[in-house]
Amino acid sequence: MLPHSYTLDSISKSQELLSSIISANSPSEITSVCTSIETFLHTHSPDQSRHFFSLTFPTLICNLFGFENPRATSPSSNGWINIPVLNKTLFSLLSPTGTLATTISAVDRLSLVKYLFPAERLPHWTRSLSDKHNLSDLCPSLFNNSSSSPFQIQLNVFQYFFFWFAYYPVSKGNSDNSDQVSVKTTAVKFRLENWTSSIPGFSASKRSVSNQNTRCYNLYTRLLYAYLRANVPTCDLSSHQPYRSSILHYGSGHDATVAARAEFVVNTLIHFWLVDNDFSPFPVSSCKALGVSFPLGEIPPTPCLGEVVKLFVRYLGLSTVTAFRENGDFVPSSSSPRWRNVEVAKNKDLGYGCWNQCLQRPLYRFLLRTFLFCPMAASLKNVSQVFSVWMSYLEPWSIKGDEFSELDAMNGENLENSTVSENVNASGGGGSFTPRWQDYVLSNYLYYTSLVMHFIGFAHRFLHSDVETVVQMVLKVLDTLTSSKELIDILKNVDTLFHSKQAGSGKPMLNNLYRYVPIIRDQLQDWEDGLCETDADGSFLHENWNKDLRLFADGEDGGQQLLQLFILRAEAELQAISGDNVTPSLQCIDSLKAKLGCLFDGQTIKPSSTSPEPMQHQQSRDDIFKPRRAGNHVLTHVKYKGDWMRRPISGDEIAWLAKVLIRLSDWLNESLGLNHSETNLGLNQTDSSKSSSACSYVEVSTDEANICGPSEALKVFICTVCSWFLFLGAASLGFMRRYGLRVNLRILASKKVVMVFVLYAVFSMLKKFVRAIHSM
């Protein structure tokens, strides 16, 4: 037991540090506070330091990240981490090899301090759970306390700090996004710009993000890489737990072990960044087994996470490359090809040598929700960052030994990184696809096929926003898919087996690939769980979500037809904006056509002419969607072949109003019997002929023909007018049924039409207001 004087000294100095942290504003004062903290921790034992962590540490985290208090919804720009001149000082304080990190490990080893993390700062999916659900059952590596509930999360010091560290970019991204929205909606000028954004000539700004400087690392990125390097090994975690494979199996619930710490760090970043607000955060089998359900929605991931997610995914990719060095191939955690994809969430033993298992489903849904639910007015900068994450994941063989050399140099880890560089280079990193990577491609097959189709739909919707950037993104996808003939053959062979009815063929290679088909089918159902179509969502996979692969399909919703259509649209867009200098733009289109021909066995579209003929019909640049099947027809002659009322929502429409009017139109058509006009056409004609022949005339008695008095004359007049209106309505309804016409109120959702009504209402209100003033 410590003497009373030592305890009082520790408490008083912790309170002094607390006052200094609260009052520190200038960089010099903050530097002095950081020095005092390191001195205090260096001169006090872990038992004495517990007063610092119980009294001072939460306030230090709030000031570090800019939160006014632990319950603050978003960080402010006054956080210490946002001051560039403090980067060296703060990195020294927060480094995983510094005095603070060493003291945290010692305090956690003795279990001296526990924190309650705010439930409203947890990943969004936790707020959908009730009291009867235990977080440790859903995610044991993240919530290893068996008593954890959505309303009371007990964490040790390291867990508490790392939760705030992972939450910071999420809150900052949400705050920046809401600030942008509020700025656009506070002034009338910006509201009018939003209304007229889709009118040609009013929105001509281009947002190019192709020249981003990805080597500009800030303090948060440096700290993220340092924590990954210190806590997440890229080798097999079983080497740190010799009893993991024995009967005397030790669980991973102990935070002090290397494997448990690595699992906690990886799962924290996955759930705060990738899962977060996902409406299907866990595999379907796990949710059904635990009786958990989550509300559906169409919420895109948090913006501005692309750079940190790319670093995270790229670093975990090192474990995949290391697996090649140790095993000579991409070997999953079990010998069976049916890997534990749907058991990851509830499995308490996640010590894999390759982190790809933990990353597959969350990353796929992160990319999928970005492409499907990205708002039409969103900047392409966020999407391009997420796109680069996808490209990094598709090509793990391109990881080089000096992948993080610049970050290592900035963090002072040159010697340690040299060993990693040798391992990566020796295992085949930094090269191109080889058949040795076949198992990796097959385990992530949906990334190369189904996700490509969803991205094509995104490219069609956002082509008008920045045609050069979107074309470059599509070219990069095709370039990756066609980088190797062996890769194309694998993708096509599996697609053929996926759609075949027989159990296999006589070829040993195809029989070997067929065992992956059930796994891919299960992944397709599980990874795209919860996706729902609306009446005007613009999906290219209409009624095929969670059911089929369409990249190599021959129909109008197949990859070849949609890519042909995209090339035609992009060519027309580039010719419209390039003017006379159209040759450089068409060179990119020719590259697209060449890659398309390589992917689908032959040249499908003729090369572009460097001196194109002038178009007879100028295409409007605000058209967001064009028909799926182009064939050999001229673009301007191709019409939308689907139900025009259910065409994708364009930029000149109000989305929510269009959906309401579509439902109202459906109800009217169903009530009036207009949905079955074609099938009942012959029956209606027969009924009408019978009725016309049976009721040729009506006899009226002389007593009924006599009209006496003005009241009866008025009644006859009103009845005559009403009968004429009913006759016209019935005739119009019969005409619509005869020719297959239907009610379509969607035209009222046009921004131009709504603008006319709004201006008329404002003019009427001003007119009444002026009259009221004059009457006074």
Side-chain angles (χ1 to χ4, degrees):
M1 183 175 180
L2 292 174
H4 186 65
S5 59
Y6 282 100
T7 303
L8 291 178
D9 178 71
S10 175
I11 294 176
S12 61
K13 288 188 176 180
S14 298
Q15 292 176 344
E16 291 178 2
L17 288 174
L18 176 60
S19 302
S20 301
I21 292 173
I22 295 176
S23 60
N25 294 318
S26 63
S28 59
E29 294 175 346
I30 296 174
T31 302
S32 177
V33 169
C34 294
T35 303
S36 301
I37 292 174
E38 291 182 336
T39 303
F40 173 83
L41 297 176
H42 186 73
T43 56
H44 288 73
S45 65
D47 192 23
Q48 295 172 333
S49 301
R50 65 179 179 177
H51 302 104
F52 166 81
F53 290 104
S54 60
L55 298 176
T56 312
F57 192 62
T59 305
L60 174 64
I61 293 178
C62 291
N63 285 267
L64 175 67
F65 295 117
F67 295 100
E68 298 179 358
N69 56 73
R71 301 288 173 178
T73 57
S74 60
S76 65
S77 58
N78 298 327
W80 296 357
I81 200 172
N82 297 318
I83 305 177
V85 296
L86 295 175
N87 285 356
K88 184 177 180 180
T89 301
L90 294 179
F91 185 84
S92 176
L93 175 67
L94 303 175
S95 172
T97 58
T99 305
L100 178 61
T102 304
T103 307
I104 288 176
S105 299
V107 171
D108 286 341
R109 194 177 300 114
L110 299 175
S111 299
L112 298 177
V113 180
K114 291 291 183 180
Y115 297 97
L116 289 179
F117 191 79
E120 60 271 17
R121 305 282 78 85
L122 289 173
H124 193 272
W125 62 263
T126 61
R127 305 168 204 174
S128 302
L129 300 177
S130 59
D131 295 333
K132 65 179 181 180
H133 297 122
N134 200 327
L135 290 178
S136 60
D137 294 335
L138 286 169
C139 192
S141 299
L142 190 60
F143 305 103
N144 55 9
N145 187 353
S146 58
S147 62
S148 296
S149 68
F151 307 101
Q152 190 173 7
I153 309 299
Q154 296 183 7
L155 304 172
N156 60 27
V157 180
F158 176 78
Q159 292 172 342
Y160 183 74
F161 170 76
F162 204 77
F163 265 38
W164 281 112
F165 181 81
Y167 175 69
Y168 170 72
V170 177
S171 60
K172 191 173 186 301
N174 289 330
S175 177
D176 294 344
N177 189 46
S178 61
D179 290 343
Q180 293 175 2
V181 173
S182 62
V183 168
K184 291 182 180 180
T185 57
T186 51
V188 177
K189 175 181 177 181
F190 291 114
R191 286 201 296 266
L192 292 176
E193 289 179 355
N194 188 30
W195 279 96
T196 59
S197 60
S198 62
I199 302 177
F202 283 88
S203 179
S205 60
K206 292 294 178 181
R207 293 164 290 186
S208 178
V209 293
S210 59
N211 296 325
Q212 296 180 21
N213 184 10
T214 58
R215 293 296 181 180
C216 183
Y217 299 114
N218 53 19
L219 176 60
Y220 186 89
T221 307
R222 292 177 56 193
L223 288 173
L224 171 63
Y225 177 70
Y227 293 143
L228 290 174
R229 295 275 284 123
N231 298 291
V232 183
T234 56
C235 58
D236 191 356
L237 290 181
S238 61
S239 61
H240 299 280
Q241 291 181 313
Y243 302 102
R244 178 173 289 274
S245 60
S246 66
I247 298 178
L248 299 175
H249 176 79
Y250 288 99
S252 58
H254 304 285
D255 179 70
T257 62
V258 174
R261 177 67 67 89
E263 292 167 9
F264 171 79
V265 170
V266 171
N267 280 281
T268 299
L269 298 180
I270 285 177
H271 281 274
F272 272 92
W273 293 353
L274 302 182
V275 180
D276 191 21
N277 56 0
D278 192 354
F279 47 84
S280 179
F282 294 101
V284 179
S285 60
S286 300
C287 293
K288 290 182 179 179
L290 298 174
V292 181
S293 61
F294 299 91
L296 299 180
E298 297 181 359
I299 306 176
T302 302
C304 305
L305 290 180
E307 287 301 321
V308 291
V309 170
K310 181 180 179 180
L311 175 62
F312 175 57
V313 173
R314 201 72 174 173
Y315 179 83
L316 294 186
L318 292 175
S319 64
T320 305
V321 180
T322 305
F324 273 78
R325 176 179 58 85
E326 296 177 352
N327 302 314
D329 204 348
F330 179 80
V331 179
S333 57
S334 62
S335 58
S336 173
R338 185 176 291 276
W339 304 306
R340 295 177 291 176
N341 291 324
V342 296
E343 301 295 331
V344 166
K346 63 181 181 180
N347 194 343
K348 296 186 178 182
D349 184 16
L350 299 180
Y352 301 149
C354 179
W355 292 107
N356 186 262
Q357 286 290 321
C358 301
L359 198 61
Q360 277 183 323
R361 188 183 192 273
L363 180 61
Y364 183 88
R365 293 190 62 85
F366 176 81
L367 299 171
L368 181 65
R369 291 186 297 126
T370 300
F371 295 147
L372 285 182
F373 306 133
C374 180
M376 293 301 300
S379 171
L380 285 183
K381 178 180 180 181
N382 297 330
V383 182
S384 64
Q385 292 176 349
V386 176
F387 175 81
S388 64
V389 175
W390 180 30
M391 291 297 102
S392 300
Y393 190 82
L394 289 181
E395 298 179 301
W397 47 83
S398 65
I399 298 178
K400 300 180 180 179
D402 58 349
E403 182 74 20
F404 303 105
S405 59
E406 191 170 348
L407 277 171
D408 283 318
M410 296 176 66
N411 295 351
E413 299 178 354
N414 294 345
L415 295 177
E416 186 178 0
N417 186 64
S418 61
T419 304
V420 177
S421 302
E422 294 176 0
N423 293 339
V424 172
N425 290 330
S427 58
S432 58
F433 175 82
T434 61
R436 295 175 57 196
W437 288 95
Q438 172 178 304
D439 286 331
Y440 178 87
V441 173
L442 293 175
S443 65
N444 298 279
Y445 186 77
L446 296 186
Y447 283 88
Y448 298 86
T449 53
S450 182
L451 194 57
V452 173
M453 292 296 296
H454 291 294
F455 174 74
I456 294 174
F458 164 84
H460 272 281
R461 295 199 310 273
F462 281 83
L463 180 61
H464 74 290
S465 299
D466 192 338
V467 58
E468 295 93 345
T469 301
V470 175
V471 168
Q472 289 293 336
M473 294 166 72
V474 175
L475 181 59
K476 175 60 179 176
V477 173
L478 294 181
D479 198 14
T480 302
L481 296 180
T482 58
S483 59
S484 171
K485 183 64 168 58
E486 292 84 359
L487 176 61
I488 299 177
D489 292 339
I490 292 175
L491 297 180
K492 289 185 176 180
N493 289 335
V494 174
D495 183 82
T496 302
L497 294 174
F498 185 90
H499 294 94
S500 63
K501 302 296 183 181
Q502 56 185 358
S505 62
K507 297 182 179 180
M509 181 189 68
L510 295 181
N511 287 330
N512 183 51
L513 294 177
Y514 190 83
R515 62 194 180 103
Y516 295 96
V517 172
I519 307 171
I520 296 173
R521 199 179 301 276
D522 293 340
Q523 289 177 343
L524 186 63
Q525 294 285 340
D526 182 50
W527 293 2
E528 298 193 5
D529 174 62
L531 295 182
C532 56
E533 293 177 296
T534 61
D535 289 331
D537 60 357
S539 170
F540 290 114
L541 305 181
H542 187 67
E543 297 180 354
N544 281 322
W545 281 354
N546 314 329
K547 295 180 181 179
D548 204 355
L549 300 176
R550 307 297 300 171
L551 179 59
F552 297 101
D554 296 330
E556 64 178 7
D557 56 352
Q560 181 176 358
Q561 296 290 347
L562 293 178
L563 285 172
Q564 286 182 2
L565 174 60
F566 174 83
I567 292 176
L568 292 175
R569 291 189 60 206
E571 186 174 2
E573 288 273 356
L574 290 173
Q575 289 177 356
I577 66 175
S578 300
D580 297 334
N581 190 19
V582 71
T583 302
S585 301
L586 293 183
Q587 289 177 354
C588 186
I589 296 297
D590 290 339
S591 300
L592 274 177
K593 295 177 180 179
K595 297 296 181 182
L596 184 63
C598 180
L599 182 62
F600 294 101
D601 298 328
Q603 188 173 349
T604 56
I605 301 180
K606 296 181 180 180
S608 304
S609 175
T610 56
S611 57
E613 297 179 359
M615 299 177 62
Q616 296 180 355
H617 303 281
Q618 183 65 31
Q619 182 186 11
S620 177
R621 297 192 64 248
D622 63 339
D623 291 340
I624 295 180
F625 182 81
K626 287 296 184 293
R628 300 171 178 171
R629 185 180 184 89
N632 297 323
H633 300 283
V634 182
L635 180 62
T636 55
H637 293 164
V638 181
K639 302 298 182 183
Y640 182 70
K641 295 184 178 181
D643 187 352
W644 189 246
M645 186 168 62
R646 284 172 172 78
R647 67 191 183 279
I649 294 178
S650 59
D652 61 348
E653 291 180 313
I654 302 175
W656 66 268
L657 184 57
K659 294 179 181 179
V660 171
L661 293 176
I662 288 172
R663 294 177 182 176
L664 181 59
S665 301
D666 285 336
W667 178 79
L668 289 174
N669 291 323
E670 186 68 26
S671 301
L672 297 176
L674 298 177
N675 290 334
H676 308 284
S677 57
E678 295 180 359
T679 58
N680 298 334
L681 181 59
L683 180 61
N684 293 337
Q685 291 177 349
T686 305
D687 294 341
S688 61
S689 62
K690 289 181 180 181
S691 61
S692 61
S693 60
C695 302
S696 58
Y697 63 93
V698 178
E699 294 183 356
V700 181
S701 63
T702 57
D703 295 336
E704 294 178 350
N706 296 327
I707 301 176
C708 300
S711 59
E712 294 186 5
L714 181 61
K715 290 181 181 179
V716 171
F717 176 76
I718 294 176
C719 291
T720 303
V721 173
C722 293
S723 63
W724 273 105
F725 275 111
L726 292 176
F727 174 76
L728 291 176
S732 301
L733 187 60
F735 179 82
M736 295 177 67
R737 289 176 178 175
R738 177 174 301 176
Y739 292 98
L741 302 179
R742 295 188 301 166
V743 178
N744 186 0
L745 302 177
R746 182 172 174 176
I747 190 175
L748 300 178
S750 174
K751 292 181 179 179
K752 300 176 183 178
V753 175
V754 176
M755 176 64 75
V756 172
F757 283 111
V758 170
L759 293 177
Y760 176 78
V762 172
F763 177 77
S764 300
M765 292 176 62
L766 291 177
K767 189 175 180 180
K768 292 180 180 179
F769 181 71
V770 172
R771 289 180 179 177
I773 292 178
H774 285 299
S775 63
M776 295 174 60

